[in-house]
Amino acid sequence: MQFNFKEIFTAFMVLFAVVDIIGNIPIIIDLRKKVGHINSRKASIISGVIMISFLFLGKSILNLIGIDVNSFAVAGAFILFFIALEMILGITLYKHEEHTSDTASVFPLAFPLIAGPGSLTTLLSLRAEFETNSIIIAIILNVIVIFIVLKTSKTIERFLGQNGISIIRKIFGVVLLAIAVKLFAYNIKALFELT
């Protein structure tokens, strides 16, 4: 089995920027305060399973409802664009619902916060460009990072402080904005070539 380390690194960084686990630390800490305890292992594994399942089944589901990958990727580019705007401008476009149940590790943490519309759309877009093996490794590496961040979120927040988290969030917002533009340009071009 051949490993393309450039592809793995690129896919890892794209997913890392989209999931934005560092930028979500304030949300994670707020959730911990509300529900008492978050099962870091459970949240990480479930988000990984959702992402890997969607990587393989996403295209079939889209074909079933008559949508091609390029159209889905263009729609995904818009989602990523708005997520990036949230990160850069510090605004909230997506409503976060209140949850106080014991299932907070699964919902809203694993889905939709970690494995949400942005990451699932990104996976299909990455599949159009990269080898599946590279994407799976990138997902697993992200799940490991997610687990570490969830486990040490209080320590990270104390170490970085609010300003540090805000700066990291804005940097990844700009990266994500550039990724959204690239995804849009690549897939809109592919759509026009098909017609």
Side-chain angles (χ1 to χ4, degrees):
M1 187 187 293
Q2 292 282 346
F3 293 112
N4 186 330
F5 291 105
K6 188 185 174 192
E7 276 193 4
I8 292 167
F9 180 74
T10 306
F12 169 79
M13 286 307 293
V14 169
L15 279 174
F16 186 77
V18 173
V19 170
D20 185 32
I21 196 68
I22 303 291
N24 281 323
I25 286 174
I27 298 166
I28 293 162
I29 287 164
D30 189 49
L31 200 59
R32 268 191 209 275
K33 285 175 188 168
K34 286 177 186 172
V35 299
H37 172 72
I38 288 171
N39 188 330
S40 304
R41 184 183 290 119
K42 185 178 182 182
S44 304
I45 291 170
I46 288 172
S47 61
V49 167
I50 291 169
M51 286 192 274
I52 290 171
S53 299
F54 196 79
L55 180 67
F56 288 103
L57 300 175
K59 194 172 180 182
S60 302
I61 293 165
L62 290 178
N63 289 341
L64 194 67
I65 55 175
I67 300 171
D68 61 277
V69 175
N70 296 115
S71 299
F72 192 76
V74 168
F78 282 111
I79 292 171
L80 296 182
F81 178 80
F82 289 119
I83 292 170
L85 285 183
E86 276 191 343
M87 291 165 72
I88 296 164
L89 303 175
I91 57 173
T92 304
L93 298 170
Y94 298 107
K95 186 181 172 220
H96 296 289
E97 294 175 10
E98 296 286 322
H99 292 278
T100 54
S101 67
D102 293 332
T103 60
S105 299
V106 179
F107 188 85
L109 190 55
F111 180 84
L113 195 63
I114 297 169
S119 54
L120 298 181
T121 304
T122 303
L123 286 171
L124 283 188
S125 304
L126 289 172
R127 190 160 184 198
E129 290 184 59
F130 300 138
E131 290 290 323
T132 307
N133 292 341
S134 300
I135 302 168
I136 291 169
I137 293 166
I139 292 169
I140 293 166
L141 291 173
N142 266 286
V143 167
I144 292 166
V145 172
I146 288 162
F147 174 74
I148 292 166
V149 170
L150 289 176
K151 207 75 176 158
T152 60
S153 57
K154 288 179 184 175
T155 311
I156 292 169
E157 188 195 32
R158 278 197 304 269
F159 177 73
L160 293 175
Q162 280 303 123
N163 287 340
I165 289 170
S166 179
I167 290 164
I168 289 169
R169 193 173 169 88
K170 286 185 188 335
I171 290 167
F172 276 104
V174 173
V175 170
L176 197 55
L177 194 61
I179 291 163
V181 170
K182 185 186 172 192
L183 276 177
F184 179 82
Y186 177 84
N187 286 286
I188 204 84
K189 184 183 170 192
L191 276 174
F192 279 117
E193 283 172 2
L194 288 172
T195 54

